[in-house]
Amino acid sequence: MALQSTFFPYSYKLCSRKTPLSPFSTTRFFSICNAPICIGCGTLKLSTPRLGRVVSAVVSDRDAVGSSFSGTDVFKLTYLEGNSWLWDVGGLNILVDPILVGNLDFGIPWLYDAAKKFLKNFQLSELPEVNCLLITQNFDDHCHLKTLKPLSAMYPDLRVISTPNAREMLDPLFSNVTYLEPGQSSNIEAGNGSKVRIQATAGPVLGPPWQRPENGYLVISPQGLLRLYYEPHCVYNKSLLEKEHADIVITPVIKQLLPNFTLVSGQEDAVKLAKLLHAKFIVPMKNGDLDSKGLLASIIQSEGTVESFKELLYKELPDAQILEPTPGVPLEISPPSDLP
């Protein structure tokens, strides 16, 4: 989320832990409904999921690797709460807007201070090898220096793709940064020689009207069989996006509001986005669902729920499938088996 040109509350804290969460194991989802989370004894555990509509494009690792796509066009999406994600695209790991060290407080904890609810003890050392860092915005809940400084020490040559708005923060830390304006794209090469293309799109303008917009991104799998769209505010340029399509759309669906100002959109705007991109799968993110405190936290209001979003969506896109992520557990999506 973001507070225009000043604060962006809605990220999270990941403290130290002694027992690994193992969030990147080969767990798979076969149901539209979200599996409940049970936390105890320092580990994250999934209770038995309630069976719902079957998602044919969400498959096991064995099925994906054994398919004609050789696993290169499989997306494994791990939600790290707030705005943070780890995406495995055909074996290439993309870390998105990470906050993995300390709370989100924008340096003013009395105004806003937020911690994650579930992945409280996650450490940078628990990540698999990271191939690319993707930054959407230059504010602390997307470009979190407490996380990026130790990350740059771990990966001094890490490939970074970012909005140009974050240049001042990223240039001192990373030497291999590509800044993309909306419409520009760049390729990342995986170890197996396959390439993932990342294309920037226009996100929100968070500041004076003449300021360049922040970034959303289209991520295209190596063989181009799956396309993912991500922008963490559900703010987009319709005239530019209507020329695109995305099989998977990751977006907030619950609005976050200040008096007379929308921090994060959702609900009907998220439905319009999914319809605009002809999405087959919508992955709703709850980037306002944090343990927050402070003056600003007390006046932020939420509007809508995932359930009300589902009702709106199925009126417009009855065949679309909603996949609710469980923090720390990979959500795996592969191309439909009936592709030529």
Side-chain angles (χ1 to χ4, degrees):
M1 101 174 239
L3 179 59
Q4 186 167 355
S5 73
T6 309
F7 305 106
F8 286 61
Y10 287 149
S11 285
Y12 21 77
K13 173 188 176 183
L14 298 174
C15 312
S16 61
R17 70 175 290 108
K18 296 181 180 179
T19 305
L21 266 180
S22 299
F24 311 107
S25 60
T26 56
T27 305
R28 50 260 187 194
F29 284 59
F30 294 95
S31 172
I32 292 298
C33 56
N34 193 23
I37 295 178
C38 303
I39 295 182
C41 304
T43 60
L44 182 74
K45 298 179 180 179
L46 288 178
S47 63
T48 303
R50 174 175 59 85
L51 293 179
R53 292 173 55 200
V54 174
V55 181
S56 61
V58 181
V59 299
S60 69
D61 280 340
R62 179 181 301 175
D63 293 337
V65 174
S67 73
S68 60
F69 313 119
S70 302
T72 61
D73 280 51
V74 175
F75 279 76
K76 298 177 185 177
L77 312 174
T78 304
Y79 189 37
L80 301 178
E81 297 189 78
N83 296 310
S84 287
W85 292 86
L86 180 73
W87 301 334
D88 177 339
V89 186
L92 191 145
N93 290 317
I94 303 172
L95 186 62
V96 185
D97 288 353
I99 295 187
L100 304 173
V101 179
N103 278 24
L104 171 67
D105 60 20
F106 301 95
I108 315 174
W110 61 267
L111 181 66
Y112 187 84
D113 184 272
K116 293 186 177 182
K117 290 186 174 182
F118 303 113
L119 305 184
K120 294 178 182 292
N121 299 317
F122 192 78
Q123 296 185 25
L124 279 175
S125 60
E126 294 179 56
L127 290 170
E129 182 180 0
V130 177
N131 304 112
C132 179
L133 171 67
L134 190 64
I135 299 294
T136 62
Q137 300 180 14
N138 68 323
F139 292 87
D140 207 35
D141 59 337
H142 303 271
C143 190
H144 189 243
L145 290 180
K146 291 180 183 177
T147 297
L148 298 184
K149 287 178 180 179
L151 184 68
S152 68
M154 292 173 61
Y155 297 100
D157 300 319
L158 180 62
R159 177 72 186 279
V160 182
I161 293 179
S162 173
T163 165
N165 292 342
R167 184 185 297 272
E168 183 178 346
M169 286 164 284
L170 295 176
D171 275 357
L173 298 176
F174 299 97
S175 59
N176 187 14
V177 186
T178 301
Y179 296 104
L180 296 181
E181 298 280 356
Q184 295 178 335
S185 63
S186 184
N187 290 331
I188 311 168
E189 188 165 342
N192 59 8
S194 62
K195 294 181 180 180
V196 174
R197 183 159 64 92
I198 296 181
Q199 177 181 325
T201 65
V205 175
L206 300 168
W210 55 86
Q211 183 170 316
R212 71 166 306 286
E214 306 294 339
N215 279 358
Y217 293 102
L218 284 163
V219 181
I220 297 94
S221 63
Q223 296 185 50
L225 299 179
L226 279 179
R227 296 165 64 95
L228 177 147
Y229 172 80
Y230 174 68
E231 196 287 311
H233 283 223
C234 194
V235 176
Y236 48 91
N237 185 313
K238 181 180 177 180
S239 63
L240 295 179
L241 275 192
E242 65 185 2
K243 304 172 186 177
E244 305 289 349
H245 78 275
D247 306 282
I248 307 163
V249 169
I250 301 177
T251 183
V253 302
I254 299 171
K255 293 183 179 183
Q256 304 296 319
L257 309 171
L258 282 173
N260 302 315
F261 183 75
T262 299
L263 295 169
V264 174
S265 193
Q267 295 294 289
E268 63 278 354
D269 290 327
V271 172
K272 292 176 183 177
L273 172 64
K275 191 173 181 180
L276 182 69
L277 290 171
H278 309 285
K280 299 179 180 69
F281 306 100
I282 294 89
V283 182
M285 55 186 288
K286 301 178 181 179
N287 48 357
D289 189 19
L290 303 165
D291 286 331
S292 57
K293 58 186 178 180
L295 178 62
L296 189 60
S298 67
I299 61 174
I300 296 173
Q301 300 294 320
S302 298
E303 181 180 298
T305 64
V306 174
E307 291 303 318
S308 62
F309 168 73
K310 290 179 181 179
E311 293 179 5
L312 292 169
L313 180 70
Y314 290 145
K315 292 177 182 177
E316 298 292 332
L317 287 176
D319 294 328
Q321 299 180 9
I322 297 175
L323 308 177
E324 295 184 56
T326 296
V329 179
L331 179 65
E332 183 174 330
I333 306 175
S334 69
S337 58
D338 58 353
L339 284 176

